[in-house]
């Protein structure tokens, strides 16, 4: 296997964060007296940058979306952040990958501050060389920018030895914009169709498949 470093997405790849994210979206919608979204629409917020998703799904202007993100965070920072679980088999997978000598890092569209709290809460921090995420003020606002930041934090110049693993098309797009290969996993919030249309290099079903692949 040519890969030496693996970047993991967080939501939908390491943890099942659906309850906390969806409840935070509901809180923001209710606070702003906006129509409630369907479950499918709520789930579409898991993975992409929130500000852009509020624009896309709710038809809001950018300024309105920024306010929605702030309202979302009112609920998320106290409650939603912990309405979350590590997927079965992930800790065992991380332990085996580290023992085999892989360098692991998190590259997430979640604000880095929140990502680090989650990693510490679930005792995951020890497995990763770094946690790279967005800035609270909207900086590093795309997955591609987060991945670029992760590459810089790890002093990586040979991108051919880095694999991105995630559950949404944004992981594929961000990886390819940085010249990385991407493996899409299907136990998260994306679909095979989404990965195929985004041009994922590999698609796998479950946690065990990741270990077999690398």
């Amino acid at each position: 296997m040519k890969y030496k470093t693996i970047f993991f997405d967080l939501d939908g790849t390491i943890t099942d964060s659906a309850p906390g994210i969806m409840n935070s979206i509901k809180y923001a919608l209710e606070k702003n007296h906006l129509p409630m979204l369907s479950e499918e629409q709520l789930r579409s917020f898991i993975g992409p940058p929130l500000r852009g998703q509020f624009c896309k799904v709710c038809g809001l202007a950018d300024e309105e979306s920024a306010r929605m993100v702030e309202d979302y965070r009112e609920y998320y920072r106290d409650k939603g952040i912990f309405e979350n679980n590590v997927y079965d088999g992930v800790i065992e997978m991380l332990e085996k990958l580290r023992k085999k000598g892989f360098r692991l890092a998190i590259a997430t569209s979640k604000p880095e501050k929140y990502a680090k709290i989650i990693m510490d809460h679930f005792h995951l921090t020890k497995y990763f060389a770094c946690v790279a995420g967005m800035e609270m003020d909207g900086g590093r606002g795309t997955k591609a920018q987060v991945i670029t930041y992760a590459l810089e934090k790890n002093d990586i110049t040979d991108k051919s030895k880095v694999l991105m693993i995630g559950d949404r098309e944004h992981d594929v797009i961000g990886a390819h914009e940085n010249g990385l290969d991407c493996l899409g996993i299907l136990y998260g919030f994306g679909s095979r169709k989404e990965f195929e249309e985004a041009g994922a290099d590999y698609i796998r079903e479950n946690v065990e498949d990741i270990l077999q692949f690398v």
Side-chain angles (χ1 to χ4, degrees):
M1 175 56 61
K2 66 177 181 177
Y3 304 112
K4 303 298 182 185
T5 301
I6 302 176
F7 288 174
F8 282 95
D9 178 41
L10 182 55
D11 294 335
T13 303
I14 298 296
T15 67
D16 178 1
S17 55
I21 291 175
M22 292 167 68
N23 287 338
S24 300
I25 297 295
K26 291 177 182 177
Y27 174 87
L29 292 170
E30 290 171 355
K31 183 174 180 180
N32 289 275
H33 309 290
L34 293 174
M36 187 51 61
L37 301 176
S38 68
E39 172 130 353
E40 181 180 355
Q41 288 173 316
L42 289 169
R43 290 177 72 86
S44 75
F45 280 83
I46 306 168
L50 287 174
R51 193 162 169 172
Q53 201 67 2
F54 275 118
C55 291
K56 178 181 177 181
V57 177
C58 300
L60 302 178
D62 189 60
E63 185 176 333
E64 295 172 307
S65 294
R67 187 182 66 248
M68 291 291 286
V69 171
E70 291 304 310
D71 292 338
Y72 166 99
R73 288 175 177 169
E74 282 185 9
Y75 181 94
Y76 187 81
R77 64 175 172 248
D78 295 324
K79 297 180 181 179
I81 193 169
F82 300 120
E83 295 172 339
N84 199 353
N85 292 288
V86 180
Y87 283 111
D88 289 344
V90 161
I91 290 177
E92 293 81 2
M93 173 190 68
L94 296 174
E95 288 176 346
K96 290 177 181 178
L97 290 174
R98 284 295 302 272
K99 287 179 180 178
K100 289 182 178 295
F102 288 96
R103 174 171 49 177
L104 311 179
I106 291 290
T108 175
S109 294
K110 186 182 294 298
E112 189 171 302
K113 173 183 176 180
Y114 292 154
K116 288 180 176 179
I117 292 172
I118 291 167
M119 300 293 287
D120 287 342
H121 178 73
F122 289 114
H123 308 292
L124 296 169
T125 304
K126 62 184 178 182
Y127 298 111
F128 295 91
C130 79
V131 177
M134 293 185 173
E135 296 175 288
M136 292 294 287
D137 63 0
R140 295 194 293 273
T142 68
K143 194 57 175 274
Q145 290 170 338
V146 170
I147 292 173
T148 299
Y149 172 58
L151 289 167
E152 292 170 350
K153 287 189 76 171
N154 286 278
D155 297 318
I156 293 172
T157 55
D158 187 353
K159 298 178 181 180
S160 68
K161 297 187 184 302
V162 184
L163 177 68
M164 178 73 209
I165 297 179
D167 71 308
R168 298 300 306 273
E169 63 181 348
H170 306 83
D171 299 302
V172 180
I173 295 167
H176 288 175
E177 287 186 19
N178 279 279
L180 309 185
D181 290 343
C182 184
L183 184 153
I185 49 86
L186 296 175
Y187 60 79
F189 304 112
S191 67
R192 184 175 294 276
K193 181 176 183 290
E194 179 177 338
F195 286 133
E196 289 174 347
E197 290 179 351
D201 301 281
Y202 318 100
I203 303 173
R204 293 294 185 271
E205 294 279 348
N206 52 47
V207 174
E208 291 75 20
D209 289 340
I210 295 174
L211 275 175
Q212 292 176 8
F213 177 80
V214 299

